[in-house]
Amino acid sequence: MMGNDDEQLQEELHWTPGKKSPWRSTPRGATAIMAMGGVLMLAMWGVTMTLVGSARDLAAVGVFLVMGLEGLVALGIARSLWRAMGPVARGIIRPLMVLGPLPPLAVLCCTSLALVQALNPQAGFVSRGKNWGIPLRGGSVRFSEVQALCSKLGSQWRIPSEDEVARLDPPPPVGRNSTHTNYWLLPAPGTSPAEDVFLAVSCLGPRCSTDILRQARRPSGDGENAGAALCVNF
């Protein structure tokens, strides 16, 4: 058994794809190495984007160079891990590679994304300040939809009231590719129930201003007022 594993291991570590060889002929250990290398490369790419900011900052040539280098490093690490994990672990993993590297790679990627969503405090936000956040898919919504979006962020998140605007730190920005955004607010006591209340943010170049905007409430349905979602956790 050990000798058979050693032979398989050597074949898997030194396997290279042929031009006309079908994927079914790929050693399952080599498939596992490719899957692990893919996950490691995605992880390294995520770290790179965290440090750099965005792919645009690398330019096209830089993206290909960085991804190529990270791919080579990831495959090297994957081969070392495959060699180090021992014959028992390899014997368990090999049968799982019967469909090629894509199914396990997809499972591992989905699991990694779920962990990132759970552990990353920025997950679920388009933008975030010290005590506020702009939720995903909250760019143009009705008032009835805002609280549902805030609740998805956690039990402590809610719609800010008109009296709490001065506590927003820092003031929220305008939406992407826009110079003006209206954020939904809870009206202050005494406000007419026939009015919807918004925090209007306007920017002209680097200078931005905020104001309280009141609009006549429209009937429920397609004519209902729409604004951007803003959630706070005071």
Side-chain angles (χ1 to χ4, degrees):
M1 180 72 180
M2 185 66 70
N4 184 45
D5 178 78
D6 289 338
E7 293 175 4
Q8 285 184 283
L9 177 61
Q10 292 306 313
E11 180 186 10
E12 293 158 355
L13 293 175
H14 298 92
W15 177 83
T16 54
K19 292 183 179 180
K20 297 183 179 180
S21 56
W23 66 267
R24 289 187 180 87
S25 65
T26 304
R28 294 183 182 179
T31 298
I33 291 172
M34 287 187 285
M36 290 190 296
V39 172
L40 289 169
M41 187 183 73
L42 289 175
M44 287 190 284
W45 180 250
V47 173
T48 300
M49 289 299 96
T50 300
L51 296 174
V52 173
S54 71
R56 294 179 181 178
D57 297 325
L58 287 174
V61 176
V63 168
F64 285 112
L65 287 176
V66 171
M67 291 192 71
L69 179 61
E70 290 180 344
L72 291 174
V73 173
L75 282 175
I77 295 174
R79 286 192 177 96
S80 298
L81 290 174
W82 186 247
R83 181 188 290 110
M85 68 176 55
V88 176
R90 289 193 291 266
I92 295 173
I93 294 174
R94 283 185 182 114
L96 303 177
M97 298 295 112
V98 65
L99 297 178
L102 292 182
L105 182 59
V107 171
L108 289 170
C109 287
C110 291
T111 302
S112 300
L113 287 174
L115 288 173
V116 168
Q117 290 287 328
L119 298 175
N120 183 7
Q122 297 297 331
F125 297 96
V126 174
S127 182
R128 187 172 179 182
K130 293 181 180 179
N131 54 14
W132 57 263
I134 299 173
L136 294 172
R137 295 180 292 277
S140 180
V141 294
R142 298 169 184 170
F143 183 79
S144 57
E145 300 171 299
V146 181
Q147 188 56 57
L149 290 170
C150 292
S151 297
K152 290 181 180 179
L153 302 174
S155 59
Q156 74 276 23
W157 291 92
R158 58 179 176 80
I159 307 171
S161 69
E162 180 181 348
D163 297 333
E164 294 173 326
V165 168
R167 297 175 61 188
L168 298 175
D169 185 18
V174 294
R176 185 175 296 179
N177 300 323
S178 176
T179 59
H180 183 87
T181 300
N182 292 336
Y183 294 103
W184 281 104
L185 295 174
L186 289 172
T191 300
S192 170
E195 292 181 331
D196 286 327
V197 183
F198 300 90
L199 171 63
V201 182
S202 300
C203 292
L204 182 59
R207 302 183 63 180
C208 297
S209 61
T210 60
D211 196 7
I212 301 298
L213 174 67
R214 303 179 188 277
Q215 291 183 349
R217 183 168 297 175
R218 300 177 183 177
S220 298
D222 294 336
E224 192 174 354
N225 286 328
L230 179 68
C231 308
V232 296
N233 62 349
F234 297 137

